[in-house]
Amino acid sequence: MSDYNFAYLDEQTKRMIRRAILKALAIPGYQVPFASREMPMPYGWGTGGVQVSAACLTPGDTFKVIDQGADDTTNAISIRKFFEKTAGIATTEETAQASLIQTRHRIPEAALSEDQILVYQVPIPEPLRFLEPSEVETRKMHSLEEYGLMHVKLYEDISQHGAIATAYAYPVKVEGRYVMDPSPIPKFDNPKLSMAAIQLFGAGREQRIYALPPHTRVVSLDFEDHPFEPSKADHDCDLCGASDSYLDEVIVDDAGGRMFVCSDTDYCRSRRAANHVGAQGAPYEDARA
Amino acid sequence: MTPLLQVRDLAKFYGARRGCEDVGFDLWPGEVMGIVGESGSGKSTLLSCLAGHLLPDRGEVIFDTQLHGPRDTLSMSEPERRMLMRTDWAFVHQHARDGLRMGVSAGGNVGERLMAVGARHYGDIREQAVDWLGRVEIAADRVDDKPWAFSGGMQQRLQIARNLVTGPRLVFMDEPTGGLDVSVQARLLDLMRGLVREMGLSAIIVTHDLAVVRLLADRLMVMKDGRVVEQGLTDQVLDDPQHGYTQLLVSSVLQV
Amino acid sequence: MIEIDGLGKSFTLHNQGGAVIAVMAGACLRVARGECVALTGASGAGKSTLMRMIYGNYRASAGRIMVGKTDIAQAAPREIIRLRRHTLGYVSQFLRVVPRVPTREVVAEPLLTLGVARADAIARAESLLARLNIPRALWSLSPTTFSGGEQQRVNIARGFAHEFPALLLDEPTASLDAANREVVMGLIEETKARGAAIIGIFHDEAARARICDREVDMGAFAPGRAA
């Protein structure tokens, strides 16, 4: 482990990133530029999130990584191992045990607390990019609070689909000021953005960091006659029976058989451990066997 | 009554070369002023300076704002100026694709200015969009079509609807009929005349087409080499031109 | 209503060696309300030029042209525009319109510009078109394709749509048949009767004799004579 500086990045870089993080926390929802480093993984695999995590980790931290809610996917395992190797820190799959959680595309179902940090991997930090290709122009629009364009996107949704069809990366307004892309989380997770934990967003390729301090007011954009609605599959988890969690649809055979399961694997596991059983689920002990 | 726009001693240089110089005039509410001149005469530079797209080197562009009365738009803060641009002002580009969002539906294009000033009721926005499409003679069933599916004339009419939906008081137009078929031009001119009259709009129209200004403009300004060589009542300038350049311009028009 | 004093006009042709052509000098004319004055003189004597100067279409080189309280020779464009909308009408020899606009709209436009309610303006336009014997079938078509006589009648209807206090008529009865000439004469007589001041050019001597109170010979204002 002594081959690397703690958490891979050199101390100067970590300080630079921390300054960006502090500025981002001071101006909730504002995109702070930072000098993103080359990381030993390709862009799109979480280089932004990894740099933010590296700058935040301390030797006493317990680290958890989820990808689409799951701890056991390739990307999650790789990043977890990366920090086990370069920082030597403890890791966990249990949401409540983690002090720092790096995520891609989900917010854990269990409520987070004030002593936790949630780090998001962000592909495209600019919510206005959809309609305005110029970075100069979008920055000006942010600084002058010209956000009419954001509603044009939602208008287009309704006119084409009869409802706001944006299902993920649903834009939000932070503390009545900045419009922010919450990263590609499902809009089901949007209400959770107002939470007790610190939320940090890192975009490696785009070189931007933004943040939500604890208990920040985050409102999803909508129309008066088409209010925001968090949505999920109209189903319960087939393994743990949860009716309040975001579900993945899994094809189980070649005959069209399918099941809905919690996307948050830790949430599902902990419910089954507490003897909740879904329609296709087996008792918890059996599943482990 | 106060002039809607007072322009004083306006000048813009590109290095040592003159874009426009010594330009001054008053535009009164409900007046339509044409600016004519050959390519390179400075008419487009002048329009850009007036509309806030280009910062002049000298002069004042004083607009009679609804809240604070006459204000020099050049010394305004940028947020104030941009607010003006999406409320009291409108700009119709020669090429519709410069003034439209080509990837957004006709309804979204018209609705954008409404949403930019705070409209948040989808049904109302759509209703106004359809109403405005009707006023520029675009059928209601095209409301969800993208502008690239429209003809050139329709795109230009859509651009006009998008600009006028928030009830501006001053419209800048840069060669609004340029590049359109003659028959389409006539239809557009008729439409613009009606809208100007009904809404009591003031407008500044830059064009090289004397027939356009004769039909649309109350007043005319003739530019050459960045300077105004003659201005006055449109039909007076065209029928009894005083300056040699204007005489040449008028006599150069082909008679049909 | 109309008072003209010491009016002069010359054209400077900058592109033809700066030649200066004087066409009028020392023109004086007074027209009271309810009065109709005919301009006479040979072709080229400056009848149409004077009409155009009164309308503000040609710029005066000297003198003054009072219409009501406004001096056309000095007035700013917007004053002339206001005067043309409210006070001073002009029926020229030729109809100049935006292509594609229906005849009914062409005639109603002066009223719409004044803010007259649309229904009222259209009703007035239609009654004038009917009176001038323009077939109803043509009302919704653009006059650009009409015959010369029809265009002239549309032009007259447009000129009489609003009841101007002062009116300039340039050959209003030319190219009209007897029946339609009679209609136009009736319109002019009504306009006089309601107190409008009228200046006209009439080639038709019978019409001139019937309508006009006085004749003014433009020959008297030829530049050589005045100088």
Side-chain angles (χ1 to χ4, degrees):
Chain A
M1 123 99 226
S2 58
D3 294 342
Y4 293 104
N5 187 41
F6 177 76
Y8 185 76
L9 291 175
D10 62 274
E11 292 305 311
Q12 287 298 334
T13 297
K14 283 196 270 184
R15 280 160 81 176
M16 176 271 292
I17 294 172
R18 284 173 197 144
R19 278 196 293 272
I21 291 171
L22 287 174
K23 182 171 179 181
L25 283 165
I27 317 170
Y30 173 73
Q31 299 168 47
V32 182
F34 79 110
S36 182
R37 296 293 192 250
E38 290 288 332
M39 297 302 286
M41 61 186 74
Y43 288 129
W45 288 55
T47 55
V50 165
Q51 290 179 77
V52 170
S53 292
C56 291
L57 280 172
T58 61
D61 269 316
T62 304
F63 188 56
K64 167 182 163 84
V65 186
I66 50 175
D67 177 5
Q68 302 272 18
D71 294 84
D72 53 3
T73 56
T74 312
N75 202 4
I77 292 170
S78 300
I79 292 172
R80 199 163 59 225
K81 295 224 158 156
F82 175 75
F83 281 114
E84 282 172 357
K85 189 167 183 180
T86 61
I89 37 116
T91 56
T92 180
E93 293 192 6
E94 288 180 40
T95 302
Q97 298 302 313
S99 57
L100 196 153
I101 304 170
Q102 181 170 333
T103 180
R104 172 175 175 267
H105 295 194
R106 275 310 312 275
I107 296 176
E109 304 292 356
L112 301 185
S113 62
E114 278 158 4
D115 53 4
Q116 291 179 302
I117 297 175
L118 184 59
V119 175
Y120 295 77
Q121 301 170 202
V122 180
I124 298 167
E126 179 49 71
L128 298 163
R129 186 63 73 236
F130 172 78
L131 292 159
E132 180 51 64
S134 159
E135 173 72 14
V136 172
E137 186 63 18
T138 54
R139 280 209 218 182
K140 196 166 275 176
M141 290 161 87
H142 280 295
S143 69
L144 300 180
E145 266 185 274
E146 291 181 3
Y147 289 134
L149 205 52
M150 225 45 254
H151 275 85
V152 172
K153 182 178 189 290
L154 300 180
Y155 171 96
E156 291 292 282
D157 254 14
I158 302 172
S159 70
Q160 282 169 34
H161 308 289
I164 297 176
T166 300
Y168 62 93
Y170 192 105
V172 294
K173 193 154 197 184
V174 179
E175 282 294 335
R177 179 58 183 86
Y178 285 97
V179 165
M180 188 190 94
D181 182 332
S183 88
I185 57 173
K187 66 178 171 182
F188 174 83
D189 283 343
N190 270 27
K192 297 187 221 158
L193 287 162
S194 296
M195 64 161 72
I198 289 175
Q199 297 170 82
L200 305 175
F201 299 78
R205 180 181 46 214
E206 303 283 329
Q207 314 206 356
R208 293 289 184 279
I209 288 171
Y210 50 102
L212 295 172
H215 307 293
T216 299
R217 188 159 47 90
V218 180
V219 178
S220 302
L221 300 182
D222 61 3
F223 286 103
E224 289 158 18
D225 49 344
H226 286 267
F228 170 79
E229 280 175 13
S231 63
K232 64 183 272 287
D234 187 17
H235 214 277
D236 293 343
C237 174
D238 283 323
L239 294 180
C240 75
S243 60
D244 59 352
S245 79
Y246 192 73
L247 302 174
D248 286 338
E249 184 178 359
V250 182
I251 307 295
V252 293
D253 55 32
D254 291 342
R258 57 186 190 155
M259 63 191 295
F260 288 92
V261 298
C262 290
S263 109
D264 184 336
T265 52
D266 177 59
Y267 183 71
C268 199
R269 183 196 53 73
S270 61
R271 274 181 55 85
R272 279 182 287 128
N275 295 322
H276 293 283
V277 181
Q280 301 182 42
Y284 183 60
E285 262 70 32
D286 293 22
R288 276 258 155 143
Chain B
M1 193 159 71
T2 317
L4 189 64
L5 193 71
Q6 303 174 59
V7 178
R8 302 276 175 267
D9 187 31
L10 203 68
K12 171 73 187 172
F13 293 88
Y14 300 103
R17 199 163 55 79
R18 176 170 59 226
C20 62
E21 193 175 10
D22 290 337
V23 180
F25 63 87
D26 287 345
L27 186 75
W28 296 83
E31 254 183 355
V32 178
M33 190 174 86
I35 303 176
V36 297
E38 60 200 1
S39 304
S41 62
K43 57 189 195 300
S44 293
T45 295
L46 174 59
L47 192 73
S48 297
C49 287
L50 296 176
H53 297 172
L54 203 60
L55 189 67
D57 296 311
R58 192 170 68 224
E60 293 178 330
V61 178
I62 299 162
F63 180 74
D64 186 19
T65 62
Q66 305 210 39
L67 283 182
H68 307 290
R71 294 271 316 272
D72 184 3
T73 60
L74 300 177
S75 57
M76 265 182 189
S77 68
E78 188 171 14
E80 282 181 295
R81 193 160 53 236
R82 284 174 72 112
M83 189 54 155
L84 207 57
M85 284 180 185
R86 57 178 196 266
T87 53
D88 271 355
W89 288 8
F91 196 103
V92 176
H93 293 263
Q94 174 176 7
H95 300 293
R97 61 178 173 277
D98 295 335
L100 291 173
R101 290 191 191 279
M102 297 305 280
V104 169
S105 69
N109 264 290
V110 178
E112 181 178 343
R113 268 173 82 109
L114 294 171
M115 292 182 249
V117 294
R120 292 292 179 264
H121 190 284
Y122 175 83
D124 291 350
I125 293 165
R126 193 169 173 82
E127 196 176 311
Q128 284 202 59
V130 168
D131 175 51
W132 263 97
L133 290 180
R135 291 167 78 166
V136 298
E137 304 173 23
I138 295 175
D141 63 4
R142 303 300 300 270
V143 64
D144 293 329
D145 292 350
K146 303 278 201 291
W148 48 256
F150 289 2
S151 68
M154 277 175 84
Q155 287 181 5
Q156 201 57 301
R157 280 180 274 133
L158 177 61
Q159 194 194 177
I160 288 170
R162 166 181 160 90
N163 269 285
L164 297 189
V165 65
T166 48
R169 294 189 295 152
L170 176 59
V171 185
F172 301 99
M173 299 191 191
D174 187 7
E175 302 274 9
T177 59
L180 298 177
D181 290 342
V182 179
S183 62
V184 176
Q185 277 189 20
R187 189 175 181 190
L188 193 68
L189 286 173
D190 171 34
L191 180 78
M192 290 194 294
R193 254 161 79 106
L195 291 173
V196 164
R197 186 180 62 215
E198 283 161 28
M199 300 177 71
L201 292 175
S202 302
I204 296 178
I205 302 173
V206 161
T207 179
H208 63 269
D209 189 339
L210 298 184
V212 168
V213 288
R214 190 184 278 278
L215 291 173
L216 279 182
D218 303 308
R219 286 167 53 194
L220 191 58
M221 204 153 91
V222 183
M223 294 195 69
K224 179 171 168 51
D225 299 332
R227 292 181 184 276
V228 178
V229 296
E230 182 165 358
Q231 55 176 319
L233 212 56
T234 301
D235 60 271
Q236 185 259 302
V237 172
L238 294 179
D239 293 339
D240 184 17
Q242 306 292 309
H243 189 276
Y245 175 70
T246 317
Q247 292 181 356
L248 189 67
L249 201 66
V250 170
S251 63
S252 304
V253 175
L254 297 174
Q255 301 287 327
V256 179
Chain C
M1 185 70 204
I2 302 174
E3 296 181 13
I4 296 168
D5 288 301
L7 194 63
K9 176 65 185 168
S10 60
F11 293 99
T12 306
L13 306 179
H14 294 282
N15 299 300
Q16 291 172 40
V20 177
I21 302 172
V23 294
M24 192 188 299
C28 294
L29 182 64
R30 275 174 173 58
V31 186
R33 289 177 196 279
E35 194 180 20
C36 179
V37 173
L39 302 181
T40 60
S43 180
K47 301 189 292 291
S48 289
T49 300
L50 178 59
M51 298 274 262
R52 284 169 169 255
M53 286 166 78
I54 298 169
Y55 198 59
N57 180 227
Y58 281 4
R59 199 174 283 192
S61 307
R64 61 185 197 119
I65 308 166
M66 299 302 295
V67 175
K69 291 187 165 55
T70 308
D71 181 1
I72 301 280
Q74 302 292 330
R78 71 186 188 100
E79 294 176 273
I80 297 179
I81 290 164
R82 192 167 50 217
L83 201 74
R84 287 177 178 182
R85 279 185 189 154
H86 296 267
T87 312
L88 182 63
Y90 181 33
V91 179
S92 65
Q93 289 188 65
F94 303 103
L95 180 67
R96 191 170 343 225
V97 293
V98 183
R100 206 191 72 114
V101 181
T103 297
R104 167 191 291 124
E105 300 273 335
V106 168
V107 175
E109 197 191 1
L111 294 170
L112 293 172
T113 305
L114 285 172
V116 172
R118 185 165 184 83
D120 296 343
I122 295 291
R124 166 85 176 149
E126 292 186 343
S127 83
L128 278 165
L129 287 168
R131 194 169 163 191
L132 285 155
N133 300 308
I134 303 288
R136 179 176 284 268
L138 299 183
W139 294 358
S140 55
L141 304 178
S142 164
T144 41
T145 54
F146 292 5
S147 72
E150 284 164 345
Q151 288 199 6
Q152 173 68 344
R153 280 178 279 147
V154 171
N155 205 19
I156 289 166
R158 180 179 160 92
F160 283 88
H162 171 56
E163 299 191 338
F164 288 106
L167 199 55
L168 308 171
L169 304 173
D170 193 348
E171 298 275 19
T173 55
S175 72
L176 296 183
D177 59 33
N180 281 313
R181 180 156 54 240
E182 193 51 38
V183 173
V184 175
M185 301 292 268
L187 277 172
I188 298 171
E189 281 169 342
E190 285 166 28
T191 306
K192 266 183 77 177
R194 67 168 167 78
I198 301 173
I199 298 178
I201 302 171
F202 301 91
H203 240 70
D204 175 357
E205 280 186 36
R208 199 156 68 209
R210 174 171 155 192
I211 293 174
C212 299
D213 302 299
R214 286 187 287 130
E215 294 186 4
V216 171
D217 181 7
M218 290 303 295
F221 308 138
R225 190 175 300 210

